[in-house]
Amino acid sequence: MIQQSHWIHAGNLEVLKQEGARVVKGGIAVFYHENKVYAVDNRCPHLGFPLHVGSLCEGILTCHWHHARFDICSGGTLDPWADDVPVYEVKLEDGEIWINQQKHTNDIEKYKKRLKEGLEQNIGIVIAKSVVALVEANVSEADIARIGIEFGTTYGSGWNSGLTILTAMTRILPKLDKSGKILALYQGLLHTARNSSGRGQRHLLSPLPSEDVSISRLIEWYRNCIEVRDTQGAERILLTAIRKGVSDDQLAEMMLMAVTDHVYLDGGHTFDFHNKAFESLQYVNDEMKNTVLSSLVPMLGAPTRSEELHQWQAPIDLVGPLQDAFAELLQSPSVEYRSLTEKEENEIIQQLLSEEPLATTKLLTRILISGGHPAHVAQLVTLGAAERIVRFHTQNDFRDWVAVLHTFTYAHAVHERLRHSTNPLLIRAVYHGAMSIYLDRFLNVPAASRPKDAKPVNPDQPEKLLDVMDQRQNVNEAARWVIGYLHNHGNPKVLINQLGHALLREDADFHTFQMYEAAIAEYDTWDVRADAFAEQARETMLLAVTRYLAAHAPTARELSHTARIASRLHRGERLYEEE
């Protein structure tokens, strides 16, 4: 007699022959088919429909909800979007049916494999279920992100918006609650799949035969290759530098020097993508560095160089004075860097938002030559760009939200890089961002007013912000709500989490993900100070992201619905019944 505790009695064989199928303890479906007894999990692994009401013919069990098909012997599916169904060992003893209900508890490798398959086949529900399972199994978020970064940089034409979203969302995970983390990882991985699935594998070139060349010479060669849009030569030089053991910061300098040799490449995306790729290195193994960084090179083959655009040349020539300022910086004697005074901070912000770009160039040059830290100056340029978003009037063409967004996310990327390097050639990017703020000035005419009449808000109900954003284009009302929340002593950390959910419940576009991550990262850089200027800066960041999110909501919310289905399936809920 079977006595082990994990074996359960599933009834009499003769009765099952008459019934054909039955459900027993633990939600196990038992079938009599072709003179044998089979047992599988009764929940279809696609969306949880009961399999015992499906049909079993010639060894194939078909779910009647979405017609997923399963091999009754192994549980393997013929439809990859459905997943395999778990099977159970069956024994017969004296005409009675016994089922071993014991399940494997360590399925982490299975879910990692399934996640890779979901990425390869671009199946959202598979990606979502894998993320939920891995998070619930306490797999580190970096390990989950790594799978997506390795896939996205291995396949396709190079670094893309999906990889940028995935890296950005991985960086803000500490700001989110558990459900927010699942949504952030799922959205990042899904967008990576959409950009790279179905595309061929990238085959890297070889490094140069010898690495017996100085880093300064490699930098010179790399810049020259990019100047003439020779991406193959640039890739070989980059891989040679990596093999030589050049540090990540030096590699970033080399590549970004080439980016800043021209003005505001591709509306800021080129610099921003480079920054995100270097940020992603913390999530991958060292052997992936070649693949990740070389994925950036193709975008330098034909970028838009803004010095060739009319608005950078007329009615005011912005490019010539910038070149003069760069030459002055390079010729100035080295000084010990210092923090800027509050007077200088206010002066820079006012000048950035003025209609005097040449005076802005002169001011930045004077402060940098006097020892103002480039990262601090870049931080203020980012703040000025955020102010453009806060002042963006809803009477503007809706598509112009992207213009102020591009300037802000570009300035943020420059700020992040200058926290690692103060190379004079990288400082050129600060000026490019400042001039873009000037070019965005008409988008503040008329200027939206900063909320003053704060909306009465209960700080214990932060989720009410989501109700405000349920109404289309409720930009100013959302901003008033946030000011009311903050002025009523609401917890900014809780608000940041709610803003994360406001983003992640939507079928958001690429730029909206950029906006949230950049604003929250910039908020943190001001959070180390307790003075009035820093408090105003933090408020600006929260207002900017709130207004942008509200302008781009609501959407169909298909992706968050898929993630919710995945979570309910993992909990064992019955999706075909009312929630």
Side-chain angles (χ1 to χ4, degrees):
M1 178 71 179
I2 296 175
Q3 297 180 343
Q4 295 97 323
S5 59
H6 50 264
W7 285 87
I8 60 171
H9 183 235
N12 180 269
L13 176 60
E14 293 303 320
V15 174
L16 181 63
K17 287 180 180 179
Q18 298 297 321
E19 296 176 344
R22 63 162 48 182
V23 181
V24 300
K25 180 183 176 182
I28 299 173
V30 186
F31 297 91
Y32 183 80
H33 179 65
E34 295 180 342
N35 302 317
K36 289 185 179 181
V37 178
Y38 301 93
V40 302
D41 192 307
N42 194 38
R43 297 166 64 246
C44 175
H46 178 219
L47 291 179
F49 198 73
L51 289 175
H52 77 279
V53 297
S55 57
L56 182 54
C57 180
E58 297 183 347
I60 297 296
L61 173 62
T62 301
C63 175
H64 284 182
W65 204 4
H66 296 94
H67 308 291
R69 298 161 298 165
F70 307 94
D71 166 22
I72 193 64
C73 296
S74 67
T77 183
L78 277 63
D79 303 291
W81 42 265
D83 285 333
D84 297 339
V85 65
V87 297
Y88 298 88
E89 181 184 0
V90 176
K91 287 185 178 181
L92 296 175
E93 189 172 277
D94 298 330
E96 300 298 315
I97 305 167
W98 293 86
I99 296 173
N100 184 353
Q101 65 174 344
Q102 189 175 41
K103 293 183 178 180
H104 296 291
T105 57
N106 185 9
D107 287 331
I108 289 176
E109 291 307 314
K110 166 192 166 184
Y111 290 125
K112 285 183 176 180
K113 179 177 180 291
R114 197 67 181 118
L115 175 56
K116 293 177 184 177
E117 293 171 345
L119 291 167
E120 292 166 356
Q121 299 164 38
N122 189 20
I123 305 175
I125 187 63
V126 172
I127 295 171
K129 289 196 291 184
S130 302
V131 169
V132 170
L134 290 169
V135 170
E136 293 292 350
N138 296 317
V139 174
S140 78
E141 294 138 2
D143 284 346
I144 300 172
R146 179 183 303 118
I147 295 171
I149 294 169
E150 291 183 354
F151 170 77
T153 53
T154 299
Y155 298 93
S157 57
W159 190 270
N160 53 53
S161 60
L163 286 162
T164 298
I165 293 171
L166 176 57
T167 304
M169 291 301 95
T170 305
R171 284 172 56 80
I172 56 89
L173 290 176
K175 305 294 182 183
L176 302 172
D177 57 24
K178 189 175 185 179
S179 63
K181 292 177 195 286
I182 289 172
L183 281 168
L185 285 167
Y186 165 58
Q187 289 254 24
L189 290 162
L190 181 64
H191 283 282
T192 299
R194 288 177 172 180
N195 276 264
S196 301
S197 174
R199 293 164 174 81
Q201 181 175 351
R202 285 195 315 114
H203 297 286
L204 274 58
L205 300 175
S206 300
L208 298 174
S210 172
E211 61 190 46
D212 187 20
V213 58
S214 67
I215 179 60
S216 59
R217 179 57 59 85
L218 289 173
I219 290 173
E220 179 184 351
W221 288 351
Y222 185 83
R223 292 175 66 191
N224 287 340
C225 285
I226 297 303
E227 178 65 29
V228 297
R229 307 179 191 271
D230 173 16
T231 55
Q232 290 187 320
E235 181 177 322
R236 295 200 73 185
I237 294 164
L238 170 62
L239 296 176
T240 303
I242 294 173
R243 187 183 63 184
K244 186 178 175 66
V246 174
S247 70
D248 292 351
D249 286 345
Q250 286 179 302
L251 290 169
E253 286 184 355
M254 179 180 81
M255 300 184 78
L256 289 172
M257 282 180 198
V259 172
T260 56
D261 279 337
H262 291 279
V263 175
Y264 201 52
L265 290 187
D266 270 345
H269 279 131
T270 307
F271 197 108
D272 184 54
F273 278 21
H274 275 67
N275 178 56
K276 278 292 170 281
F278 276 96
E279 289 176 345
S280 78
L281 292 180
Q282 65 186 298
Y283 307 119
V284 299
N285 300 320
D286 286 343
E287 57 267 25
M288 283 298 298
K289 187 181 296 185
N290 283 354
T291 304
V292 171
L293 296 186
S294 66
S295 72
L296 292 164
V297 179
M299 74 177 64
L300 292 164
T304 300
R305 297 171 173 177
S306 290
E307 66 267 27
E308 299 170 351
L309 301 179
H310 174 78
Q311 61 265 35
W312 286 79
Q313 298 280 356
I316 299 176
D317 176 15
L318 303 177
V319 179
L322 289 183
Q323 301 298 341
D324 294 339
F326 301 155
E328 189 176 351
L329 280 176
L330 289 172
Q331 294 167 6
S332 64
S334 299
V335 294
E336 186 174 344
Y337 288 126
R338 60 174 177 82
S339 296
L340 277 62
T341 65
E342 188 169 326
K343 178 181 178 182
E344 288 174 319
E345 289 180 320
N346 280 300
E347 185 180 9
I348 288 176
I349 291 298
Q350 291 176 14
Q351 188 60 54
L352 286 168
L353 298 173
S354 75
E355 296 196 14
E356 301 173 337
L358 303 186
T360 301
T361 298
K362 291 179 179 178
L363 174 62
L364 295 180
T365 304
R366 173 171 61 81
I367 288 178
L368 287 165
I369 288 177
S370 72
H373 199 291
H376 196 164
V377 177
Q379 182 185 28
L380 292 166
V381 172
T382 310
L383 179 59
E387 191 65 40
R388 285 279 190 235
I389 300 174
V390 172
R391 300 184 186 188
F392 184 94
H393 205 289
T394 54
Q395 290 182 13
N396 287 309
D397 189 315
F398 180 78
R399 291 169 294 182
D400 284 334
W401 277 106
V402 175
V404 289
L405 174 282
H406 281 164
T407 304
F408 174 64
T409 54
Y410 171 81
H412 164 65
V414 173
H415 179 206
E416 289 289 345
R417 278 300 106 200
L418 290 178
R419 296 172 73 184
H420 296 272
S421 170
T422 56
N423 187 294
L425 294 180
L426 266 60
I427 295 173
R428 295 179 296 187
V430 175
Y431 289 80
H432 298 163
M435 293 303 100
S436 187
I437 291 175
Y438 163 73
L439 292 172
D440 290 340
R441 67 196 183 283
F442 290 118
L443 300 177
N444 289 165
V445 180
S449 300
R450 199 180 191 97
K452 295 177 182 177
D453 53 335
K455 184 180 180 65
V457 169
N458 182 349
D460 295 327
Q461 295 180 317
E463 69 281 358
K464 293 297 183 181
L465 174 60
L466 300 182
D467 296 337
V468 176
M469 291 191 181
D470 277 334
Q471 301 178 50
R472 189 171 299 280
Q473 289 290 311
N474 215 7
V475 175
N476 296 326
E477 186 69 9
R480 285 186 62 219
W481 191 98
V482 165
I483 291 298
Y485 179 84
L486 294 173
H487 290 187
N488 279 281
H489 309 292
N491 187 336
K493 293 182 179 179
V494 174
L495 174 60
I496 287 170
N497 177 62
Q498 286 299 317
L499 287 167
H501 280 276
L503 162 70
L504 295 165
R505 69 175 179 168
E506 305 293 346
D507 297 340
D509 66 6
F510 165 57
H511 298 107
T512 314
F513 289 101
Q514 282 186 300
M515 180 70 224
Y516 178 78
E517 188 263 345
I520 302 311
E522 289 296 323
Y523 177 96
D524 284 347
T525 66
W526 290 105
D527 206 24
V528 297
R529 289 170 44 178
D531 56 278
F533 188 92
E535 182 179 359
Q536 181 84 347
R538 291 193 294 273
E539 185 177 280
T540 296
M541 293 302 163
L542 294 178
L543 280 175
V545 67
T546 298
R547 298 187 85 245
Y548 197 93
L549 290 175
H552 294 79
T555 63
R557 300 178 183 170
E558 176 186 350
L559 302 188
S560 59
H561 178 66
T562 299
R564 185 164 61 252
I565 287 174
S567 294
R568 293 186 63 195
L569 284 171
H570 190 82
R571 293 194 297 266
E573 297 180 16
R574 299 181 178 182
L575 296 186
Y576 53 91
E577 295 180 355
E578 187 173 349
E579 189 173 0

